[in-house]
Amino acid sequence: MSDKVLLITGGTRGIGAATARAAAAAGWKLALSYRRDEASAERMRRALEAEGAEAATFQADVGREIDVLRLFDEVDRRFGRLDGLVNNAGVTAPISRLADFDAERVERVLRVNVLGVILCCREAVRRMARERGGRGGAIVNVSSAASRLGSACEYIDYAASKGAVDTLTVGLAREAAADGIRVNAVRPGLINTDIHESSGEAGRVVRLAPGVPLQRGGEPEEVAAAIVWLLSDAASFCTGSLLDVSGGR
Ligand code: NAP
């Protein structure tokens, strides 16, 4: 096992949890944040520890700066270093057309998916940048195929937030390269997690799967494998990459 520490936001359910399991198997020590589902967080921590991994969970809403600052301080205190960040926490909104959006839903999506990712990147760069005394590191942002497809008649605000994540990934990759920090993104397609239920259509993956060239939805583990690879030294010449994990969609 290495001493390297990885923070995964929203690392206790769905794609984040699968990434935590894959990263633990690859030897990372794990800091996992969640917003409110403490029971899932506790189950996840126990399961990882039962496998021999070192893991800790932290409550923090990534859309609130005060929470992000506290999260990174707590990770500093618990582990004393940070080598990787996966910006996985993200939310959709109820399926709706743009003409029916209210400002509150749009603000919530942008706050978590854009502001949250920017703030977490900032805190990670402050700790990892060689110019600031850090050891370098790797960041993977979890974007979405929605950034290419636009999510018409579903949640254009969500798709736009992921477009921002793609642009941030390219820009920060160039800005932080000389500081030894690689920054990449994965763009999952339709993946079987609870996020679809929270947008009001639990069966969304089944409905849309026939339109996926590979003819099915993906599993969180299939996204996790791409994320853990991008974090690893095997991806040492990848930065600013947007890796589609979407079954060809
Ligand atoms: P999920 O099953 O709904 O899990 C979301 C995780 O993020 C949970 O751990 C949740 O915490 C956490 N979270 C949500 N809002 C948060 C906040 N404000 N602060 C901190 N943590 C927060 O979602 P998922 O499907 O695994 O999605 C993970 C990422 O993949 C998201 O960025 C999503 O946009 C992206 N993605 C998903 C799909 C898909 O089809 N599933 C496709 C493309 C992209 P609690 O457990 O406390 O609620």
Side-chain angles (χ1 to χ4, degrees), residues 78-129:
R78 173 69 172 72
F79 290 101
R81 63 185 282 170
L82 184 68
D83 305 278
L85 167 67
V86 180
N87 277 309
N88 166 77
V91 291
T92 54
I95 289 173
S96 169
R97 286 176 178 251
L98 179 144
D100 297 319
F101 285 1
D102 58 38
E104 201 181 320
R105 76 168 255 160
V106 179
E107 193 187 344
R108 180 170 157 269
V109 168
L110 297 181
R111 180 169 278 281
V112 176
N113 295 4
V114 183
L115 179 65
V117 172
I118 291 175
L119 292 176
C120 289
C121 282
R122 182 189 72 189
E123 293 309 305
V125 167
R126 285 177 174 172
R127 286 158 176 80
M128 293 172 178

Side-chain angles (χ1 to χ4, degrees), residues 122-167:
R122 182 189 72 189
E123 293 309 305
V125 167
R126 285 177 174 172
R127 286 158 176 80
M128 293 172 178
R130 287 191 187 133
E131 192 179 286
R132 291 169 174 258
R135 299 182 181 84
I139 297 174
V140 177
N141 296 324
V142 182
S143 173
S144 172
S147 73
R148 291 183 283 106
L149 300 171
S151 300
C153 308
E154 291 198 316
Y155 24 62
I156 292 174
D157 46 359
Y158 170 81
S161 77
K162 296 300 188 178
V165 170
D166 288 0
T167 304

Side-chain angles (χ1 to χ4, degrees), residues 59-90:
Q59 190 284 326
D61 181 342
V62 297
R64 287 164 40 100
E65 184 175 28
I66 193 168
D67 282 25
V68 172
L69 293 172
R70 177 173 48 76
L71 168 64
F72 279 79
D73 280 351
E74 287 178 1
V75 172
D76 288 344
R77 278 204 295 279
R78 173 69 172 72
F79 290 101
R81 63 185 282 170
L82 184 68
D83 305 278
L85 167 67
V86 180
N87 277 309
N88 166 77

